[in-house]
Amino acid sequence: MRSLIDIIDLSTKEIDGLIETANDIIDNPAKYSEKCKGKKLATLFFESSTRTRLSFEAAMMELGGNVIGFSNAGSSSAAKGESVSDTVRTVGCYADIIAMRHPKEGAPTIASMNTAVPLINAGDGGHNHPTQTLTDLLTIHREKGRFDNITVGLCGDLKFGRTVHSLIHALSRYKNVHFVLISPEELTVPEYIIHDILDKKGIKYTVTTSLEEVMPELDILYMTRVQKERFFNETDYVRLKDSYILNMEKLQNAKKDLCIMHPLPRVNEISIQVDKDPRACYFDQVLCGKYIRMALILNLLEVK
Ligand code: NCD
């Protein structure tokens, strides 16, 4: 029995396998429509979500399985003071696999040690979000056909944005990836990522506050939302929330084959005019999220 807590739990070969399966599901959906017949996925969301929870549920349904769960902590026994460990131990008696999101960093690790079924981290606080990263990798693979020799701009809240942390981990495995880290000084990538991943592996990275200056170099631009719920005070959030707003003017110097990504939800960091530009990939990315989660469920349930 295996869980997915952090993207480093997966080898590069396993990631390649999941991408291959997801692409096969996209091409041959009928082949997969009964693969999880009789199986149940539980979605335990202690923090709000649209795409992650619903894509997990849609994924299980398209595999012929069923779904149980809750979409906020208030409607579970967490509201009565039950521990995460007791909750997942209970749910492990009803479901074959669990997807869990929690505002506390590390909660899914503890949970996975206390349940008899595979557990997937669907986002833990400002820490990790491995299934968003798998989604991002499938999107990049479909758009660019490769993970190496790319310049990836990560823009916005790089401090609290868990999707960015997991994505840096994943892409740092591939050759000649250049990260361009674009953020206000207060929202730069945490020191442990710079030290333990980028510096340690000798990966090329640039730190800047200017999106305009670096735009012409980028193959991928990964925009992110300023993570309001993780700020300690409202004043800092208000001061930083509009730091980067991507519009058509800023895209003037961008590459013709730039791939613009965003894990969503968007607040205002990408103007809606950009949605019509062929370089906007964020809604294709949403769809990739369902297919890669189908591949992941099959893998963790060891369905052939
Ligand atoms: C992200 C998350 O929850 O971390 N959303 C998602 O899962 N697609 C990004 C965000 O909330 O800004």
Side-chain angles (χ1 to χ4, degrees), residues 123-137:
D124 62 327
H127 189 215
N128 272 323
H129 195 344
T131 64
Q132 181 63 46
T133 295
L134 291 173
T135 300
D136 301 340
L137 293 176

Side-chain angles (χ1 to χ4, degrees), residues 47-48 51-52 101 122 129 132 162-163 225 227 229-230 262-265 293:
E47 195 186 68
S48 60
R51 275 149 293 269
T52 306
R101 169 172 286 188
H129 195 344
Q132 181 63 46
R162 55 193 173 195
T163 64
R225 167 181 77 91
Q227 306 278 298
E229 65 276 34
R230 312 217 192 277
H262 192 310
L264 302 178
R293 288 181 175 101

Side-chain angles (χ1 to χ4, degrees), residues 226-293:
V226 176
Q227 306 278 298
K228 182 178 184 192
E229 65 276 34
R230 312 217 192 277
F231 273 69
F232 298 109
N233 68 68
E234 175 87 15
T235 330
D236 283 351
Y237 171 70
V238 171
R239 185 166 50 83
L240 296 169
K241 72 182 176 53
D242 297 330
S243 300
Y244 302 97
I245 296 175
L246 182 67
N247 54 27
M248 291 311 294
E249 198 188 323
K250 289 191 186 141
L251 280 170
Q252 265 172 13
N253 295 326
K255 286 190 182 172
K256 294 278 166 283
D257 63 348
L258 172 71
C259 169
I260 306 167
M261 299 173 66
H262 192 310
L264 302 178
R266 139 175 76 181
V267 181
N268 63 346
E269 55 282 348
I270 302 181
S271 105
I272 54 166
Q273 281 73 41
V274 176
D275 298 0
K276 290 191 232 74
D277 191 287
R279 291 168 289 189
C281 297
Y282 30 94
F283 287 104
D284 303 318
Q285 199 178 343
V286 169
L287 197 53
C288 284
K290 182 183 70 179
Y291 294 116
I292 201 76
R293 288 181 175 101

